[in-house]
């Protein structure tokens, strides 16, 4: 892009120019971020229904860049996802989560995998190798994927999930309800857990539609013997409504924000209700 001086032709408007340069700087920044120790994981508690006990965590990636400061995952994961950088980043995330898991209480840690990672050649073998190297039992790792990951080659996706589950890994379908073919996915794929997208929890108290969708997902999950996690629980009223509806697990700022790993270890097994 050219700087527009007097009398020169502008190839891009200012915002497009800025966006493209931001992108380029994020790409080169990210490839150094791993080596420079700028990445870390935080862990958000997942709480079970009966006594509101912290039974597990979702690992969430954080990047503190010397150039940009704190960069949100929503700003850099999509950029990494467009290139092979996502593999390097994803491997770092997995190894970091496994290292923590190896010396942690709690049932499992849930790790996000992007569609490109999931479709990677020999994804199953790749994960298994790292889990074995870390000395962690497969059932302590939950693999979170979105419906997008399953979409374009459903047969291959079904096979990958089947093999992962055969090896003992847990599988969660993330942002459930926002994808294209939720019912198809639920019928075809081997799953352990549905995560109800935050947008439905957010709308629950205001719109009948959101409340109805939340109830349907909970009932469907229960009927199929799946764990159902409500994401983005922000108020006591939401928690109460979800408990009454029979939702099995909760995650959200009302219960706990994502925590640094030493703090997360301290709250593992704690209960909000005696
Ligand atoms: P997600 O997987 O749906 O993760 C949940 C997001 O909701 C997290 O945002 C979390 O901090 C936020 N959250 C949790 N409780 C609440 C709440 O009560 N209210 C609100 N408003 N937000 C809440 P975060 O950490 O910014 O991550 C955003 C997205 O980035 C994630 O959405 C996930 O898609 C992606 N992501 C994060 N870490 C990783 C990673 O290690 N690998 C990959 N592939 N994607 C990641
Ligand atoms: Ca997630
Ligand atoms: Ca989610
Ligand atoms: Ca999301």
């Amino acid at each position: 892009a050219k700087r527009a001086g007097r009398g020169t032709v502008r190839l891009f408007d200012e915002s497009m120019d800025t966006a493209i340069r931001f992108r380029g700087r994020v790409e080169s920044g990210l490839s150094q971020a791993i080596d420079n120790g700028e990445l870390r994981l935080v862990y958000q508690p997942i709480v079970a229904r009966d006594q509101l006990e912290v039974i597990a965590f979702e690992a969430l990636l954080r990047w503190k860049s010397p150039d940009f400061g704190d960069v949100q995952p929503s700003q850099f994961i999509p950029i990494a996802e467009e290139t092979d950088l996502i593999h390097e980043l994803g491997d770092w995330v997995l190894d970091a989560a496994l290292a923590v898991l190896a010396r942690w209480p709690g049932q499992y840690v849930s790790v996000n995998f992007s569609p490109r990672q999931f479709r990677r050649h020999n994804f199953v073998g790749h994960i298994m190798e790292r889990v074995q190297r870390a000395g962690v039992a497969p059932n302590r790792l939950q693999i979170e994927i979105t419906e997008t990951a399953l979409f374009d080659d459903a047969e291959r996706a079904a096979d990958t999930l089947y093999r992962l589950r055969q090896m003992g890994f847990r599988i969660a379908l993330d942002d459930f309800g926002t994808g294209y073919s939720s019912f198809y996915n639920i019928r075809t794929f081997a799953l352990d857990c549905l995560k109800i997208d935050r947008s439905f929890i957010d709308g629950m108290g205001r719109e009948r539609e959101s409340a109805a969708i939340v109830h349907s997902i909970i009932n469907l999950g229960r009927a199929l013997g799946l764990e159902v996690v409500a994401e983005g629980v922000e108020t006591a009223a939401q928690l109460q409504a979800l408990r009454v509806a029979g939702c099995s697990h909760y995650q959200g700022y009302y219960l706990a924000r994502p925590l640094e790993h030493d703090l997360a270890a301290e709250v593992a097994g704690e209960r909000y209700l005696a």
Side-chain angles (χ1 to χ4, degrees):
K2 278 184 184 163
R3 276 252 156 260
R6 209 181 288 271
T8 59
V9 179
R10 292 175 69 108
L11 293 179
F12 300 101
D13 66 29
E14 196 72 26
S15 63
M16 197 185 203
D17 185 47
T18 308
I20 289 170
R21 276 188 299 141
F22 176 74
R23 215 203 122 87
R25 286 169 65 204
V26 166
E27 260 187 61
S28 56
L30 259 184
S31 58
Q32 291 158 33
I34 297 179
D35 300 329
N36 295 350
E38 297 161 20
L39 299 176
R40 73 184 200 287
L41 293 178
V42 289
Y43 296 86
Q44 188 174 33
I46 297 171
V47 167
R49 182 167 185 272
D50 288 345
Q51 296 175 297
L52 298 185
E53 180 179 345
V54 176
I55 58 126
F57 299 90
E58 178 175 2
L60 294 160
L61 187 55
R62 295 292 178 262
W63 177 24
K64 199 190 253 318
S65 149
D67 270 6
F68 308 111
D70 289 317
V71 193
Q72 296 303 308
S74 58
Q75 290 187 284
F76 66 88
I77 302 258
I79 293 176
E81 173 72 1
E82 284 174 31
T83 71
D84 278 339
L85 262 179
I86 193 67
H87 296 309
E88 218 183 313
L89 211 62
D91 288 345
W92 184 89
V93 167
L94 179 57
D95 288 343
L98 288 171
V100 158
L101 247 181
R103 41 190 176 79
W104 248 21
Q107 291 178 11
Y108 61 87
V109 167
S110 207
V111 173
N112 293 284
F113 290 85
S114 75
R116 191 171 174 131
Q117 288 178 273
F118 181 75
R119 296 188 195 117
R120 176 184 195 161
H121 171 71
N122 193 23
F123 178 69
V124 178
H126 188 79
I127 300 240
M128 195 58 187
E129 189 192 310
R130 298 183 110 83
V131 166
Q132 276 174 344
R133 197 192 305 152
V136 169
N139 66 4
R140 298 191 67 216
L141 178 68
Q142 177 163 276
I143 294 167
E144 279 195 28
I145 51 164
T146 58
E147 294 169 87
T148 319
L150 307 175
F151 200 58
D152 65 16
D153 188 347
E155 212 171 303
R156 176 153 173 245
D159 179 61
T160 303
L161 290 184
Y162 178 79
R163 284 189 296 135
L164 286 169
R165 266 188 107 230
Q166 288 281 94
M167 296 179 139
F169 295 105
R170 298 174 50 95
I171 313 285
L173 205 47
D174 200 2
D175 303 343
F176 187 73
T178 62
Y180 287 107
S181 55
S182 307
F183 287 110
Y184 177 82
N185 288 338
I186 253 194
R187 200 192 54 178
T188 313
F189 300 113
L191 301 172
D192 298 279
C193 174
L194 299 178
K195 301 194 78 173
I196 309 176
D197 191 66
R198 177 152 52 90
S199 59
F200 299 119
I201 307 302
D202 184 48
M204 220 173 31
R206 291 191 311 264
E207 311 146 1
R208 279 170 50 180
E209 292 80 1
S210 288
I213 290 167
V214 168
H215 280 87
S216 306
I217 296 175
I218 291 168
N219 291 332
L220 181 64
R222 285 178 74 172
L224 296 173
L226 303 174
E227 240 173 48
V228 178
V229 179
E231 295 191 307
V233 179
E234 290 185 349
T235 68
Q238 288 168 347
L239 179 61
Q240 180 57 20
L242 289 161
R243 296 192 88 205
V244 170
C247 185
S248 68
H249 293 77
Y250 322 103
Q251 191 181 340
Y253 294 169
Y254 180 68
L255 292 154
R257 295 200 169 243
L259 306 171
E260 302 296 331
H261 73 91
D262 46 341
L263 223 78
E266 277 176 36
V267 305
E270 293 213 343
R271 294 164 178 180
Y272 290 81
L273 294 178

